[in-house]
Amino acid sequence: MSLNRCIHLFSRLQHHISARAARTSAGSCHVSPGSVSVHKQHYNAFWRNASSNSSPPKPPDTSLFVPVSLKPDSPVDGNVGSELSKPLDKSEVLKALNRFYKRKEMQKLASEHGLDARLFHQAFISFRKYVLEMTYLPADLHIIISDICYGAGHIDDIYPYFMRHAKQIFPMLDCLDDLRKISDLRLPAYWYPEARAIQRKVIFHAGPTNSGKTYQAIQRYLAAKSGVYCGPLKLLAHEIFEKSNTAGVMCDLVTGEERIFMEPEGQAAAHVACTIEMCSVTTPYEVAVIDEIQMIRDPSRGWAWTRALLGLCAEEIHVCGESAAVDFVRELMYTTGEEVEVHTYKRLTPFTVLDQAVESLDKLRPGDCIVCFSKNDIYSISRQIEIRGLECAVIYGSLPPGTKLSQAKKFNDPNDPCKIMVATDAIGMGLNLSIKRIIFNSLVKPNINEKGEKHMETISTSQALQIAGRAGRFSSKFKEGEVTTLHRDDLPVLKEILSHSVDPIESAGLHPTAEQIEMFAYHLPDATLSNLVDIFVSLSQVDGLYFVCNIDDFKFLADMIQHIPLNLRSRYVFCTAPINKKQPFVCTSFLKFARQFSRDEPLTFDWVCRHVNWPLAAPKNIKDLVHLEAVHDVLDLYLWLSYRFMDMFPDTAMVREIQQELDKVIQQGVRSITRLIRATEPAMAETLQMRGSRRVLSGISASPQLPSSKGQRGQKSIRDSTENSLSDRLVKDGLLTPDLLRQLQQEWAKVQNFENHALGTDHHRTNKGKGRNKK
């Protein structure tokens, strides 16, 4: 039995012993939740002390310790030190200080008090500057240095004054023990006394996509007297909100950017559908549903699932997700003393991995969905599909929810000519689509690891199953699904990925709370918010079940508004805003919002309209469409902040109205996305196409409107220059073999001949028409 399991079992035993002792001491009387809460606090303190004693504290990362700038203090009593001894000779003082710095004994003694070599050097530089540049030194320090310079004192006598200065510029040295206690994250289960005061029943609905697991949990949710649904996306929260109210169960909607209360006068209904970050851990419910529990290991958002699982105050907790999370949820529930009941489901409709890749977009069929992992690939493939006379729907992550639903409706409508979809993995959750065949354009996507590092990697089994599971949904007209790849070389890789079982979940995310950061700030009042969070993570201790979520986005926003005067709580809230930091316009808007807020000037509807240049015209090219998406995100940011600072963001209703209008404009733009791609400047269009991760290797042609002023020769030179730069690099990196390169050149030639023939036919028809007109 592992050490962690022993600790968990001991924790569980302690929990039951404590609960029994509480019942015994109360006799036949009922134990109030308040008394249980107090008891848990004492138990929490006991277990924390036990945990702290069982493992040595983690050494701090001193590279995060930023020295505080000290303001020179002018002694009230003047230059007393000089009057009691002698004036200091700065050159002799410098020699004495440098001798002190070289004393190995002093460095060792300082290290025992938290000053490693790096901090010792920084502290000495600051101390030396202080001594040499101060007009009047404190009397005691002046006398000590004077004695040393004139041979009446020992160089080591400087040490206490040096350490006093070091603790002034590094205040964290004096409170490291307190900071370690604040950042101790080893028992998150006991952060939620209301949940620990009740014995919850945890039911895990485990199964793949399209297995009915969430349906079963929602049925129990609808039958309960009160309930909360916690989903990963706004779309899913909206779906449950509408489903509940349609079924006659009055239900509210709570997302980061929206609140809809169905009861008159804004009173809360007994049921609520929310995004998981917005769930309340203090409101009691009969039933709670936590969807997509496997996201508890997400490097950025995993903390929200951890908080919901440990903190929801519900008699029944229904957890839905992959079977790979079952054992881990059991492990977590050992720490709370709660049992887990598991219901296992099988997929309602099968899907088959085909033995052949599609290889050419000419072979597309109604009900096909091509999955890409970048918008550039989406634009490129959409264009190629349109060239073939087919209509396609487009869905990617940065589209507004209304536009995604509009595209899904267009694709699902049997009377609409659009029967092909091109999408990113955004279709993996939250959309009901009538897909017959999933076609992977690529199996490589950008990922961010727990350290915040971005890298390209092959999709995991979990991701592949999530996407492939969209084929042949139970509720669609296709009762059996098919899965394949666009490129022949990818198919065996896909089969290999799908042949593996999903990696079991081993840890859950945590995130520092505003209260914890405020306690840090009390001890380190001069530190920036970004630095506070860095030091918190550096000192934090977690056990094997948890990890601290990636805080890079939080720090990015904190650094952006550090120069703006805000109180710590407001600054923290601003930095938790969910914005896309890759969008310059969104980041600029965030900065302007914070600056206006700091001036205590409300952000009115007119102010917002001026900022975004409302009204906005329909997009004329891809660049315009991307800008409209960014404006939609800015309006989302306004709405998100309006629910945290209602007085400063007062015009929520009017902003929501123009956002809905903007959503319709974006919908129109996406419906005619191929026209927008054609209208984009040739250089930009070529760049978008050349960036397609595998499109070039597939033999799909580039835009038929390649520059042709020099005829065939000009086109050949363009193609040759492209091959010399791109293909040589692919061969060098081992991503392309010489045989594949020759095949690629042959396919390029065939496609080019086909296009030249098509262009020649069009030219002939045009000339023929002109001839008729002349006649």
Side-chain angles (χ1 to χ4, degrees):
M1 185 180 292
S2 67
L3 178 60
N4 276 342
R5 174 56 68 85
C6 292
I7 293 173
H8 295 154
L9 292 176
F10 179 69
S11 170
R12 190 176 172 204
L13 180 61
Q14 286 287 117
H15 174 82
H16 289 303
I17 292 173
S18 300
R20 180 175 296 180
R23 288 195 296 270
T24 304
S25 62
S28 58
C29 298
H30 175 69
V31 180
S32 69
S35 64
V36 174
S37 177
V38 171
H39 168 76
K40 290 296 183 187
Q41 291 173 4
H42 288 300
Y43 172 74
N44 186 14
F46 161 79
W47 190 247
R48 276 188 182 279
N49 290 334
S51 299
S52 299
N53 293 332
S54 63
S55 60
K58 185 167 62 172
D61 181 0
T62 58
S63 65
L64 302 174
F65 290 5
V66 179
V68 175
S69 298
L70 298 180
K71 296 180 180 179
D73 295 327
S74 299
V76 178
D77 50 359
N79 195 4
V80 176
S82 181
E83 295 173 4
L84 294 176
S85 58
K86 295 180 181 180
L88 295 177
D89 182 344
K90 297 294 184 181
S91 62
E92 292 298 323
V93 171
L94 180 59
K95 291 177 183 177
L97 292 176
N98 287 339
R99 290 204 310 274
F100 171 81
Y101 177 72
K102 294 175 182 178
R103 290 271 294 164
K104 297 296 183 184
E105 294 82 2
M106 293 298 96
Q107 294 183 22
K108 183 178 180 181
L109 187 60
S111 68
E112 294 174 0
H113 291 83
L115 284 179
D116 62 9
R118 178 182 173 278
L119 294 186
F120 182 85
H121 176 74
Q122 283 187 288
F124 174 75
I125 297 298
S126 176
F127 180 68
R128 185 177 64 188
K129 181 179 179 182
Y130 168 77
V131 171
L132 295 177
E133 294 183 2
M134 279 289 287
T135 306
Y136 301 125
L137 287 175
D140 54 351
L141 177 57
H142 184 108
I143 292 170
I144 288 294
I145 294 178
S146 177
D147 288 348
I148 294 171
C149 290
Y150 291 100
H154 195 276
I155 193 68
D156 292 354
D157 294 341
I158 295 176
Y159 178 77
Y161 301 95
F162 167 75
M163 282 303 300
R164 181 173 68 186
H165 182 86
K167 290 182 178 180
Q168 285 178 317
I169 66 169
F170 294 117
M172 58 284 295
L173 294 175
D174 252 348
C175 55
L176 269 180
D177 288 342
D178 290 333
L179 296 180
R180 282 196 176 99
K181 289 177 183 177
I182 296 168
S183 58
D184 189 342
L185 307 179
R186 284 176 290 182
L187 284 176
Y190 291 98
W191 298 351
Y192 311 102
E194 292 90 349
R196 301 291 77 78
I198 60 177
Q199 189 69 19
R200 306 178 307 170
K201 181 179 181 181
V202 182
I203 302 167
F204 197 123
H205 300 270
T209 57
N210 195 28
S211 60
K213 57 184 184 298
T214 306
Y215 172 83
Q216 295 298 330
I218 294 301
Q219 292 306 112
R220 179 67 188 96
Y221 162 83
L222 295 174
K225 295 178 182 177
S226 63
V228 58
Y229 168 84
C230 306
L233 301 172
K234 287 184 282 188
L235 282 175
L236 285 170
H238 269 278
E239 181 182 340
I240 301 303
F241 164 73
E242 292 173 357
K243 185 177 292 185
S244 297
N245 287 295
T246 302
V249 178
M250 196 167 290
C251 175
D252 294 337
L253 176 70
V254 177
T255 70
E257 300 81 14
E258 191 172 11
R259 310 282 192 279
I260 300 178
F261 298 102
M262 301 303 294
E263 293 280 4
E265 300 180 1
Q267 297 176 352
H271 288 71
V272 60
C274 63
T275 46
I276 194 157
E277 286 88 352
M278 300 305 300
C279 70
S280 169
V281 292
T282 56
T283 306
Y285 299 101
E286 182 182 346
V287 169
V289 177
I290 304 174
D291 207 357
E292 306 293 351
I293 188 62
Q294 67 274 4
M295 290 190 71
I296 200 169
R297 65 177 166 192
D298 186 84
S300 300
R301 297 179 65 201
W303 63 269
W305 276 263
T306 305
R307 174 177 171 269
L309 183 60
L310 297 178
L312 283 171
C313 298
E315 298 170 24
E316 292 182 22
I317 307 288
H318 290 259
V319 178
C320 306
E322 297 174 355
S323 300
V326 171
D327 290 341
F328 180 73
V329 170
R330 279 201 178 108
E331 290 280 348
L332 282 190
M333 294 302 99
Y334 277 129
T335 66
T336 63
E338 294 164 337
E339 300 288 344
V340 179
E341 178 182 317
V342 180
H343 297 174
T344 305
Y345 302 83
K346 294 183 179 180
R347 186 175 166 87
L348 298 173
T349 56
F351 73 79
T352 305
V353 182
L354 301 179
D355 291 326
Q356 289 185 333
V358 175
E359 296 192 69
S360 170
L361 297 180
D362 294 325
K363 299 179 182 178
L364 293 180
R365 305 193 299 253
D368 280 349
C369 175
I370 303 175
V371 176
C372 309
F373 294 115
S374 76
K375 281 203 289 187
N376 291 336
D377 285 353
I378 288 221
Y379 296 152
S380 174
I381 289 179
S382 300
R383 178 76 185 278
Q384 297 306 315
I385 291 173
E386 189 250 359
I387 289 172
R388 288 160 172 78
L390 302 173
E391 285 192 38
C392 66
V394 172
I395 292 177
Y396 50 85
S398 59
L399 286 177
T403 306
K404 290 177 185 174
L405 290 172
S406 171
Q407 290 290 294
K409 183 178 179 181
K410 176 182 173 72
F411 176 73
N412 289 338
D413 186 354
N415 299 318
D416 195 291
C418 173
K419 292 292 178 286
I420 309 294
M421 174 168 285
V422 183
T424 64
D425 51 345
I427 64 164
M429 294 181 194
L431 290 170
N432 292 315
L433 300 166
S434 295
I435 298 173
K436 170 65 174 177
R437 184 169 61 166
I438 288 285
I439 303 168
F440 285 90
N441 173 61
S442 170
L443 299 175
V444 178
K445 67 171 292 187
N447 267 334
I448 297 177
N449 60 22
E450 292 180 9
K451 296 180 180 179
E453 300 165 340
K454 184 177 179 180
H455 58 286
M456 302 296 293
E457 64 177 26
T458 304
I459 61 174
S460 66
T461 300
S462 175
Q463 292 167 332
L465 287 171
Q466 188 78 35
I467 298 168
R470 311 309 291 181
R473 300 282 292 178
F474 180 73
S475 57
S476 75
K477 64 181 179 181
F478 301 113
K479 300 306 178 186
E480 293 187 10
E482 297 173 346
V483 180
T484 186
T485 61
L486 184 60
H487 310 290
R488 185 189 306 171
D489 293 345
D490 283 339
L491 189 56
V493 179
L494 177 63
K495 289 184 176 182
E496 174 70 14
I497 292 171
L498 293 176
S499 68
H500 295 295
S501 57
V502 178
D503 292 335
I505 292 173
E506 297 177 345
S507 57
L510 296 173
H511 193 281
T513 65
E515 291 77 13
Q516 289 168 326
I517 298 301
E518 281 181 335
M519 285 190 282
F520 253 55
Y522 173 79
H523 290 287
L524 306 174
D526 296 311
T528 66
L529 178 56
S530 178
N531 191 226
L532 285 174
V533 174
D534 268 336
I535 296 173
F536 184 97
V537 174
S538 169
L539 294 176
S540 64
Q541 289 183 278
V542 294
D543 68 17
L545 294 178
Y546 301 98
F547 66 91
V548 179
C549 283
N550 177 17
I551 56 170
D552 283 354
D553 288 350
F554 183 96
K555 287 172 53 187
F556 174 83
L557 298 181
D559 289 334
M560 189 189 302
I561 62 172
Q562 181 55 43
H563 65 287
I564 298 176
L566 294 169
N567 65 60
L568 183 66
R569 180 57 71 104
S570 297
R571 190 181 300 277
Y572 181 93
V573 172
F574 263 86
C575 294
T576 56
I579 74 171
N580 183 359
K581 66 180 183 182
K582 296 178 182 177
Q583 288 279 7
F585 183 70
V586 178
C587 294
T588 302
S589 303
F590 174 79
L591 191 61
K592 289 185 177 180
F593 283 11
R595 188 176 292 119
Q596 184 86 349
F597 180 91
S598 71
R599 295 171 184 154
D600 205 24
E601 298 176 5
L603 287 87
T604 62
F605 176 74
D606 290 338
W607 187 94
V608 173
C609 288
R610 286 195 303 272
H611 173 63
V612 301
N613 292 322
W614 185 263
L616 293 163
K620 297 178 181 178
N621 50 44
I622 290 297
K623 185 178 179 182
D624 290 348
L625 179 62
V626 170
H627 177 68
L628 293 185
E629 293 168 9
V631 173
H632 193 281
D633 286 348
V634 169
L635 299 181
D636 254 354
L637 174 63
Y638 182 97
L639 296 172
W640 190 91
L641 289 168
S642 72
Y643 289 108
R644 279 86 182 162
F645 308 106
M646 295 183 182
D647 294 341
M648 298 300 293
F649 298 82
D651 297 331
T652 305
M654 289 187 285
V655 169
R656 191 176 302 283
E657 285 179 9
I658 66 171
Q659 189 188 42
Q660 291 170 352
E661 291 181 36
L662 179 59
D663 199 339
K664 293 176 183 177
V665 175
I666 294 174
Q667 288 179 35
Q668 291 297 329
V670 174
R671 286 195 185 102
S672 56
I673 194 166
T674 51
R675 177 181 61 79
L676 300 184
I677 297 171
R678 285 199 305 271
T680 304
E681 289 130 9
M684 188 176 185
E686 186 176 345
T687 300
L688 291 174
Q689 291 175 354
M690 293 307 296
R691 283 182 181 174
S693 60
R694 291 289 303 278
R695 187 191 61 76
V696 176
L697 300 183
S698 71
I700 300 174
S701 70
S703 167
Q705 300 177 6
L706 282 170
S708 56
S709 58
K710 295 184 180 179
Q712 296 252 354
R713 182 178 177 183
Q715 292 178 6
K716 186 175 186 298
S717 65
I718 291 172
R719 189 167 65 248
D720 288 344
S721 65
T722 301
E723 289 168 358
N724 288 337
S725 60
L726 179 61
S727 60
D728 288 350
R729 191 163 65 250
L730 292 174
V731 171
K732 183 179 179 181
D733 293 342
L735 299 174
L736 183 65
T737 65
D739 289 340
L740 282 175
L741 180 57
R742 283 192 293 273
Q743 182 181 350
L744 170 66
Q745 292 168 338
Q746 292 170 0
E747 290 181 359
W748 268 95
K750 288 179 182 178
V751 170
Q752 195 62 54
N753 290 335
F754 171 79
E755 289 179 357
N756 290 337
H757 176 73
L759 289 171
T761 304
D762 289 342
H763 181 70
H764 174 71
R765 288 174 180 171
T766 302
N767 290 337
K768 190 175 180 182
K770 288 180 179 178
R772 282 199 298 268
N773 290 337
K774 288 180 180 179
K775 289 180 181 179

CSV table of all heavy atoms in Angstrom, one decimal, residues 469-489:
chain,number,residue,atom,x,y,z
A,469,GLY,N,-15.8,11.0,-31.1
A,469,GLY,CA,-17.1,10.6,-30.6
A,469,GLY,C,-18.3,11.5,-31.1
A,469,GLY,O,-19.4,11.2,-30.9
A,470,ARG,N,-18.0,12.6,-31.8
A,470,ARG,CA,-19.0,13.5,-32.4
A,470,ARG,C,-19.7,12.8,-33.6
A,470,ARG,O,-20.7,13.3,-34.1
A,470,ARG,CB,-18.5,14.8,-32.8
A,470,ARG,CG,-17.6,15.5,-31.7
A,470,ARG,CD,-18.3,15.6,-30.4
A,470,ARG,NE,-19.4,16.5,-30.3
A,470,ARG,CZ,-20.2,16.7,-29.2
A,470,ARG,NH1,-19.9,16.1,-28.1
A,470,ARG,NH2,-21.2,17.5,-29.3
A,471,ALA,N,-19.0,11.8,-34.2
A,471,ALA,CA,-19.6,11.1,-35.3
A,471,ALA,C,-20.7,10.1,-34.9
A,471,ALA,O,-20.5,9.3,-34.0
A,471,ALA,CB,-18.5,10.4,-36.1
A,472,GLY,N,-21.8,10.2,-35.6
A,472,GLY,CA,-22.9,9.2,-35.3
A,472,GLY,C,-23.5,9.4,-34.0
A,472,GLY,O,-23.7,8.4,-33.2
A,473,ARG,N,-23.9,10.6,-33.6
A,473,ARG,CA,-24.6,10.8,-32.3
A,473,ARG,C,-25.9,10.2,-32.3
A,473,ARG,O,-26.6,10.1,-33.3
A,473,ARG,CB,-24.7,12.3,-32.1
A,473,ARG,CG,-23.4,13.1,-32.1
A,473,ARG,CD,-22.7,13.0,-30.8
A,473,ARG,NE,-23.4,13.6,-29.7
A,473,ARG,CZ,-22.9,13.6,-28.4
A,473,ARG,NH1,-21.8,12.9,-28.2
A,473,ARG,NH2,-23.6,14.2,-27.5
A,474,PHE,N,-26.3,9.8,-31.1
A,474,PHE,CA,-27.6,9.1,-30.9
A,474,PHE,C,-28.8,10.0,-31.4
A,474,PHE,O,-29.8,9.5,-31.9
A,474,PHE,CB,-27.8,8.7,-29.4
A,474,PHE,CG,-29.0,8.0,-29.1
A,474,PHE,CD1,-29.2,6.7,-29.5
A,474,PHE,CD2,-30.1,8.7,-28.4
A,474,PHE,CE1,-30.4,6.0,-29.2
A,474,PHE,CE2,-31.3,8.0,-28.1
A,474,PHE,CZ,-31.4,6.7,-28.5
A,475,SER,N,-28.7,11.3,-31.1
A,475,SER,CA,-29.8,12.2,-31.5
A,475,SER,C,-29.8,12.6,-32.9
A,475,SER,O,-30.7,13.4,-33.3
A,475,SER,CB,-29.8,13.4,-30.5
A,475,SER,OG,-28.5,14.1,-30.6
A,476,SER,N,-28.8,12.3,-33.7
A,476,SER,CA,-28.7,12.7,-35.1
A,476,SER,C,-29.3,11.7,-36.0
A,476,SER,O,-29.7,10.6,-35.6
A,476,SER,CB,-27.2,13.0,-35.4
A,476,SER,OG,-26.5,11.8,-35.6
A,477,LYS,N,-29.3,12.1,-37.3
A,477,LYS,CA,-29.9,11.1,-38.3
A,477,LYS,C,-28.9,10.0,-38.7
A,477,LYS,O,-29.3,9.1,-39.3
A,477,LYS,CB,-30.3,11.9,-39.6
A,477,LYS,CG,-29.2,12.6,-40.3
A,477,LYS,CD,-29.7,13.3,-41.5
A,477,LYS,CE,-28.6,14.0,-42.3
A,477,LYS,NZ,-29.1,14.7,-43.5
A,478,PHE,N,-27.6,10.2,-38.3
A,478,PHE,CA,-26.6,9.2,-38.6
A,478,PHE,C,-26.4,8.3,-37.3
A,478,PHE,O,-25.9,8.7,-36.3
A,478,PHE,CB,-25.3,9.8,-38.9
A,478,PHE,CG,-25.4,10.7,-40.1
A,478,PHE,CD1,-25.2,12.1,-40.0
A,478,PHE,CD2,-25.7,10.2,-41.4
A,478,PHE,CE1,-25.3,12.9,-41.1
A,478,PHE,CE2,-25.7,11.0,-42.5
A,478,PHE,CZ,-25.6,12.4,-42.4
A,479,LYS,N,-26.9,7.1,-37.4
A,479,LYS,CA,-26.9,6.2,-36.2
A,479,LYS,C,-25.5,5.5,-36.0
A,479,LYS,O,-25.3,4.9,-35.0
A,479,LYS,CB,-28.0,5.2,-36.3
A,479,LYS,CG,-29.4,5.8,-36.3
A,479,LYS,CD,-29.6,6.8,-35.2
A,479,LYS,CE,-31.0,7.4,-35.3
A,479,LYS,NZ,-31.1,8.5,-34.2
A,480,GLU,N,-24.7,5.5,-37.0
A,480,GLU,CA,-23.4,5.0,-36.9
A,480,GLU,C,-22.4,6.0,-37.5
A,480,GLU,O,-22.6,6.6,-38.5
A,480,GLU,CB,-23.2,3.7,-37.7
A,480,GLU,CG,-24.1,2.5,-37.1
A,480,GLU,CD,-23.8,1.2,-37.8
A,480,GLU,OE1,-22.8,1.2,-38.6
A,480,GLU,OE2,-24.5,0.2,-37.6
A,481,GLY,N,-21.3,6.1,-36.8
A,481,GLY,CA,-20.3,7.1,-37.1
A,481,GLY,C,-19.0,6.5,-37.8
A,481,GLY,O,-18.8,5.3,-37.6
A,482,GLU,N,-18.3,7.3,-38.5
A,482,GLU,CA,-17.0,6.9,-39.1
A,482,GLU,C,-16.0,7.9,-38.8
A,482,GLU,O,-16.2,9.1,-38.7
A,482,GLU,CB,-17.2,6.8,-40.6
A,482,GLU,CG,-18.2,5.7,-41.1
A,482,GLU,CD,-18.5,5.7,-42.6
A,482,GLU,OE1,-18.1,6.7,-43.3
A,482,GLU,OE2,-19.1,4.8,-43.1
A,483,VAL,N,-14.7,7.4,-38.7
A,483,VAL,CA,-13.6,8.3,-38.4
A,483,VAL,C,-12.4,7.9,-39.3
A,483,VAL,O,-12.1,6.7,-39.5
A,483,VAL,CB,-13.2,8.1,-36.9
A,483,VAL,CG1,-12.0,9.1,-36.6
A,483,VAL,CG2,-14.4,8.4,-36.0
A,484,THR,N,-11.8,9.0,-39.8
A,484,THR,CA,-10.6,8.7,-40.7
A,484,THR,C,-9.8,10.0,-40.7
A,484,THR,O,-10.0,10.9,-39.9
A,484,THR,CB,-11.0,8.3,-42.1
A,484,THR,OG1,-9.9,7.9,-42.8
A,484,THR,CG2,-11.8,9.4,-42.8
A,485,THR,N,-8.8,10.0,-41.6
A,485,THR,CA,-7.9,11.2,-41.7
A,485,THR,C,-8.0,11.7,-43.1
A,485,THR,O,-8.4,11.0,-44.0
A,485,THR,CB,-6.5,10.8,-41.3
A,485,THR,OG1,-6.0,9.8,-42.2
A,485,THR,CG2,-6.4,10.3,-39.9
A,486,LEU,N,-7.5,12.9,-43.3
A,486,LEU,CA,-7.4,13.5,-44.7
A,486,LEU,C,-6.2,12.9,-45.4
A,486,LEU,O,-6.2,12.7,-46.6
A,486,LEU,CB,-7.4,15.0,-44.6
A,486,LEU,CG,-7.4,15.7,-45.9
A,486,LEU,CD1,-8.7,15.4,-46.7
A,486,LEU,CD2,-7.3,17.2,-45.7
A,487,HIS,N,-5.1,12.7,-44.6
A,487,HIS,CA,-3.9,12.3,-45.2
A,487,HIS,C,-3.6,10.8,-44.9
A,487,HIS,O,-3.8,10.4,-43.8
A,487,HIS,CB,-2.7,13.2,-44.7
A,487,HIS,CG,-3.0,14.6,-44.8
A,487,HIS,ND1,-3.1,15.3,-46.0
A,487,HIS,CD2,-3.4,15.6,-43.9
A,487,HIS,CE1,-3.4,16.6,-45.8
A,487,HIS,NE2,-3.6,16.7,-44.5
A,488,ARG,N,-3.1,10.1,-45.9
A,488,ARG,CA,-2.8,8.7,-45.8
A,488,ARG,C,-1.9,8.4,-44.6
A,488,ARG,O,-2.1,7.4,-43.9
A,488,ARG,CB,-2.3,8.1,-47.1
A,488,ARG,CG,-2.1,6.6,-47.1
A,488,ARG,CD,-1.4,6.2,-48.4
A,488,ARG,NE,-2.0,6.7,-49.6
A,488,ARG,CZ,-1.4,6.6,-50.8
A,488,ARG,NH1,-0.3,6.1,-50.9
A,488,ARG,NH2,-2.1,7.1,-51.8
A,489,ASP,N,-0.8,9.2,-44.5
A,489,ASP,CA,0.2,8.9,-43.4
A,489,ASP,C,-0.3,9.0,-42.0
A,489,ASP,O,0.2,8.4,-41.1
A,489,ASP,CB,1.4,9.8,-43.6
A,489,ASP,CG,2.1,9.5,-44.9
A,489,ASP,OD1,1.9,8.5,-45.5
A,489,ASP,OD2,3.0,10.4,-45.3
